[in-house]
Amino acid sequence: MQVLLNTDTHVDGRQGMAEYLETVVKESLHRFGEYVTRVEAHVTDAVSHAKTNPDDILCTLEARLVGLEPVVVKGHAPSAHQAIQSALGKLQRAVATAIDKHDTRRDAASVKLTPPEDAGDLE
């Protein structure tokens, strides 16, 4: 899984932040295996000039899934790490939902079994 970090000029996007992001994303999404090919994070300071809102850091996570549309979620928090954690919790749920909706095993289990044509002959 490829993990990419994009930041604006008001958010620290140095190597430490990129390593943190890669670690938490891979730990959180490891259960989806090969379904997730790439996760892009966009971390921005929503209101860089006026700090009136305490939740002014925005993290947008986009997960690319094999054979499915990308999944995009957003998280707001006072710090970049907290915004990433907020968005990551949402991403886990959204990816699970997207995969479950397209799971062929679920469709097969919901098909009703029809009795064989000669079942009436047993009487």
Side-chain angles (χ1 to χ4, degrees):
M1 171 188 333
Q2 186 180 19
V3 180
L4 304 172
L5 172 64
N6 301 294
T7 63
D8 67 7
T9 56
H10 302 286
V11 176
D12 182 14
R14 289 182 282 192
Q15 186 65 27
M17 177 66 77
E19 289 172 356
Y20 169 76
L21 176 70
E22 185 168 358
T23 300
V24 296
V25 166
K26 287 185 175 181
E27 286 175 0
S28 296
L29 302 179
H30 78 277
R31 69 183 176 117
F32 300 114
E34 298 300 316
Y35 278 108
V36 181
T37 59
R38 182 175 76 194
V39 175
E40 274 191 63
H42 299 271
V43 182
T44 59
D45 192 348
V47 189
S48 60
H49 60 282
K51 301 281 186 188
T52 58
N53 185 0
D55 292 343
D56 58 355
I57 303 294
L58 171 67
C59 176
T60 303
L61 293 178
E62 177 182 353
R64 298 292 176 127
L65 307 177
V66 174
L68 301 174
E69 292 293 317
V71 175
V72 179
V73 297
K74 295 182 180 193
H76 297 269
S79 74
H81 285 80
Q82 291 171 335
I84 289 169
Q85 286 294 335
S86 171
L88 201 50
K90 295 174 186 178
L91 187 63
Q92 284 178 309
R93 292 186 298 276
V95 168
T97 299
I99 291 171
D100 285 347
K101 282 184 179 179
H102 293 87
D103 189 359
T104 56
R105 292 176 293 173
R106 186 184 82 168
D107 292 339
S110 66
V111 174
K112 292 183 179 179
L113 297 175
T114 56
E117 292 180 23
D118 60 342
D121 296 338
L122 296 175
E123 295 178 7

